[in-house]
Amino acid sequence: LLRTKQYEFYRDYLFSFNDARFKPVSLLADIGTGSSDRKDANPDGKYPLYVRSKDILKSDSFEFDEIAIIIPGEGGVGDIFHYVDGKYALHQRAYRIHFTDKNIYPKFAYYYFENSFKKFNLSKAVNGTVTSIRKPMIENFMIPLIKFDEQVRIASIVERYDQKTAQIPRRGRAGVLDHRPERRNRTDVFLRRRRAGRDLWLRQQGSRQDLWR
């Protein structure tokens, strides 16, 4: 749990762009839904079928052949994201985001969506909850316009982050994360110290690309 929170802290730092210019996704990408349904699924199908869940089904046919970010319009709102590169079918209530602006690295945009999209929409929600995704919510999401090579470096770092967190063993009895008060207190103290020493840590690291090597 401690290591996971540490990585989450670093990840939040990576996606902080206070001095960058931003553009809405509507000006950078093609956004739309598919026309498929669950009834079109075939376990022996050749192509992935993205539906309104984290599960990826199979289909005999495809609708798109591209690099895109997939977000379900309902179910796991703001928590489920897929990155696809190639031919695929798409549910009629799932959104595809295909970046047409060549200055945007799609994998960076994918991780930025994963990290910030839910927070962005919760900050604008009247009752503090988001029950479904609508196209304008995606169109109005702002993407930082940073150098392309910096996008590539950040995406590479986060990809390694995902690999590392996937390898972290779960602690506690019966595979449940350890939530004992003394453990939580140690974690909180660590995070406070980490935030207090952030400038020193950044100087030691040199640049974002040194993270998690």
Side-chain angles (χ1 to χ4, degrees):
L1 178 60
L2 182 61
R3 181 62 62 85
T4 300
K5 284 199 171 186
Q6 182 181 8
Y7 286 153
E8 288 173 353
F9 172 79
Y10 291 157
R11 184 168 177 154
D12 284 342
Y13 162 71
L14 280 174
F15 290 110
S16 298
F17 303 103
N18 297 328
D19 299 327
R21 292 191 303 113
F22 287 76
K23 264 190 180 182
V25 174
S26 61
L27 299 180
L28 303 170
D30 180 28
I31 307 165
T33 58
S35 59
S36 297
D37 204 332
R38 275 183 171 271
K39 68 179 187 301
D40 300 316
N42 178 359
D44 299 319
K46 181 179 179 181
Y47 306 101
L49 166 59
Y50 294 93
V51 294
R52 295 176 296 173
S53 73
K54 63 181 180 181
D55 299 324
I56 303 174
L57 307 182
K58 294 289 186 179
S59 173
D60 292 323
S61 60
F62 69 92
E63 299 175 67
F64 305 99
D65 184 3
E66 62 188 6
I67 297 175
I69 301 168
I70 307 298
I71 302 177
E74 300 165 346
V77 173
D79 294 320
I80 300 174
F81 300 88
H82 298 288
Y83 181 86
V84 57
D85 183 355
K87 298 175 181 179
Y88 68 97
L90 185 63
H91 191 276
Q92 56 194 348
R93 279 295 294 124
Y95 290 95
R96 52 176 278 278
I97 305 160
H98 169 63
F99 281 87
T100 54
D101 190 309
K102 301 306 179 184
N103 294 312
I104 301 297
Y105 183 53
K107 185 63 74 73
F108 166 78
Y110 164 73
Y111 285 126
Y112 189 74
F113 259 91
E114 193 177 57
N115 189 78
S116 307
F117 183 68
K118 185 174 183 177
K119 301 173 192 174
F120 173 80
N121 283 295
L122 284 176
S123 69
K124 298 182 178 300
V126 175
N127 57 2
T129 60
V130 179
T131 58
S132 63
I133 298 296
R134 295 292 180 261
K135 189 176 180 180
M137 298 166 70
I138 299 173
E139 292 175 329
N140 295 327
F141 184 58
M142 305 295 283
I143 297 290
L145 304 179
I146 61 174
K147 292 181 179 179
F148 191 85
D149 60 345
E150 182 75 353
Q151 296 178 49
V152 174
R153 283 196 294 269
I154 292 173
S156 176
I157 290 168
V158 178
E159 198 160 29
R160 292 201 299 274
Y161 154 86
D162 283 348
Q163 294 170 355
K164 285 182 179 291
T165 53
Q167 297 168 3
I168 295 174
R170 296 176 69 82
R171 306 292 183 183
R173 205 173 285 177
V176 178
L177 286 173
D178 196 336
H179 293 297
R180 288 175 292 176
E182 62 269 23
R183 293 291 186 185
R184 289 200 305 269
N185 290 339
R186 276 186 229 169
T187 299
D188 292 341
V189 168
F190 169 82
L191 290 176
R192 287 198 297 272
R193 288 177 179 171
R194 176 61 67 183
R195 292 185 183 100
R198 173 174 168 166
D199 291 341
L200 174 60
W201 177 80
L202 290 177
R203 288 196 296 273
Q204 291 171 340
Q205 295 302 318
S207 70
R208 297 173 193 260
Q209 65 181 341
D210 295 324
L211 295 174
W212 311 320
R213 273 185 175 170

